[in-house]
Amino acid sequence: MTYRIRAARDADLKPLYEMAKLTGGGFTNLPPDRTALTAKLERSAAAFAREDDTKADDLFVLVLENTETGEVRGTCQIFTHVGQSYPFYSYRLGTLTQHSKELGRTFRADMLGLTTDLEGSSEVGGLFLHPGERAGGLGLLLARSRYLFIAKHRARFADRVLAELRGIIDEAGGSPFWDGLAGRFFGMNFQDADQFNAVQGHQFIADLFPKHPIYTAMLPETARAVIGLPHPSGRAAMRMLENEGFAYENYVDIFDGGPTMIAKTDSVRTIRDVQTSRVIATDFDGGDPALIASGRLADFRCVYGDVRPCSGGVVISPRVARALEVVEDATICHVART
């Protein structure tokens, strides 16, 4: 069975909506709202249709497709420059050190400061794999396909890329971080705020959020305990990001306190190690396991397959050639699967 990554289309609305209902909340980039998802697909279609490689506020939505059945079983998203239409807010966890000569003591207080430090960065997000497909490395295919897409369209992306991981959500669907901090200012629970943000955007944060630093000691222990921690379902994603060169630099999501992972774009392992080759033949099975991508913009495709180097290029299998929709003499990019 072959799976491939391709550009999302209008017809993908139904499977995207069905997957959105399975996320369990706190997944802002994939809201279970048909209107919001339709708007995302329209924005993505406009980004794929724009041919010039200039920087803009683009969103690209990709999907994981079973090439035999045509079913869509996963999705991911790439934002070229966050914070262009609305401020991109994060909390930055810092420390204030003060010394009292009279008491002979030094006091250190952790503080959360509202910031737009990460504005202008590119973002990878919205990754969701259908529960029935969580085997065979398909989550890794979704994740790394985004970096191959960036590599193939590098001029459109910033020099820094981030990924926001969902924070801790309790069994009732609430957020201890939200309840202990923002909920006190907004008068709404986490589910309502999360849905509003996903559908309407987060300009209301600029209007209502406290601008002064928050001493974490003033928060309840339930909120302090989850700052910078990923949701249990996101731990594997965090490890994948770390393997690509991302790091947690004390920035957290303002809604659920989840960690924001950051990397220099050209230092991301998949982007750094990608190779471009000419397809010499499409009649060989075997070779080095790789992620292989072809095409630009709406014609982008990415699959797992084997690549065999040879004089003047590489050889791939008929299965890979069909999935990528390439023939001999086409150009592909590839990176080792490990």
Side-chain angles (χ1 to χ4, degrees):
M1 190 173 294
T2 300
Y3 289 86
R4 70 177 176 185
I5 308 296
R6 61 162 174 82
R9 306 165 185 152
D10 291 346
D12 297 322
L13 175 61
K14 182 178 179 180
L16 288 175
Y17 177 67
E18 294 302 320
M19 286 189 291
K21 292 191 294 184
L22 299 174
T23 62
F27 207 97
T28 307
N29 284 328
L30 194 65
D33 182 278
R34 290 181 181 274
T35 301
L37 291 173
T38 298
K40 276 185 175 288
L41 287 173
E42 290 174 351
R43 183 181 170 194
S44 177
F48 281 120
R50 191 171 67 84
E51 292 287 344
D52 58 299
D53 275 337
T54 55
K55 293 182 178 178
D57 185 16
D58 287 331
L59 162 65
F60 296 100
V61 180
L62 303 173
V63 296
L64 174 73
E65 177 187 55
N66 182 323
T67 61
E68 296 178 13
T69 66
E71 290 181 294
V72 169
R73 305 294 281 173
T75 184
C76 59
Q77 299 173 30
I78 318 168
F79 300 82
T80 57
H81 295 276
V82 299
Q84 303 306 295
S85 300
Y86 302 99
F88 185 84
Y89 289 106
S90 302
Y91 267 131
R92 177 78 163 86
L93 183 63
T95 302
L96 175 66
T97 301
Q98 296 175 300
H99 180 76
S100 170
K101 185 181 295 184
E102 291 77 12
L103 294 176
R105 294 180 61 186
T106 297
F107 299 88
R108 294 180 176 85
D110 289 334
M111 306 172 68
L112 289 169
L114 193 65
T115 177
T116 55
D117 289 353
L118 303 180
E119 203 165 88
S121 302
S122 297
E123 180 184 3
V124 292
L127 192 156
F128 185 80
L129 181 64
H130 192 283
E133 306 294 349
R134 290 176 182 172
L138 294 177
L140 195 60
L141 175 62
L142 271 167
R144 297 185 72 190
S145 70
R146 300 174 300 186
Y147 310 131
L148 288 178
F149 186 91
I150 292 173
K152 290 179 70 67
H153 308 87
R154 181 64 185 87
R156 292 196 175 202
F157 292 89
D159 292 333
R160 179 173 58 181
V161 59
L162 62 89
E164 291 187 303
L165 293 174
R166 181 164 53 157
I168 300 297
I169 308 296
D170 61 30
E171 294 181 356
S175 163
F177 183 79
W178 174 269
D179 293 341
L181 200 165
R184 300 184 177 187
F185 295 93
F186 285 80
M188 64 172 68
N189 62 33
F190 173 74
Q191 293 97 325
D192 291 341
D194 183 58
Q195 182 178 10
F196 188 94
N197 175 42
V199 176
Q200 303 292 338
H202 52 228
Q203 183 59 38
F204 74 102
I205 297 170
D207 299 331
L208 299 177
F209 241 63
K211 301 300 189 295
H212 298 291
I214 304 293
Y215 287 86
T216 60
M218 300 177 68
L219 301 177
E221 173 57 28
T222 51
R224 291 199 305 271
V226 300
I227 295 174
L229 296 182
H231 189 278
S233 66
R235 290 171 185 164
M238 190 171 190
R239 288 192 296 271
M240 286 192 292
L241 288 164
E242 289 171 337
N243 288 337
E244 290 287 342
F246 285 75
Y248 170 57
E249 298 181 7
N250 288 338
Y251 290 94
V252 301
D253 182 80
I254 60 175
F255 284 92
D256 57 26
T260 298
M261 308 292 286
I262 303 169
K264 291 183 178 180
T265 304
D266 293 328
S267 297
V268 173
R269 181 167 66 96
T270 297
I271 297 173
R272 183 194 65 210
D273 295 346
V274 68
Q275 300 179 56
T276 300
S277 302
R278 185 169 68 92
V279 176
I280 303 300
T282 61
D283 57 0
F284 178 81
D285 285 312
D288 302 320
L291 276 81
I292 314 169
S294 67
R296 276 181 51 80
L297 297 171
D299 294 326
F300 176 80
R301 306 283 188 273
C302 183
V303 298
Y304 279 140
D306 294 334
V307 171
R308 188 185 75 172
C310 63
S311 178
V314 296
V315 178
I316 59 176
S317 70
R319 176 189 65 83
V320 169
R322 286 192 299 271
L324 293 177
E325 300 181 15
V326 299
V327 295
E328 291 180 12
D329 211 35
T331 299
I332 60 170
C333 67
H334 52 97
V335 66
R337 181 168 175 173
T338 55

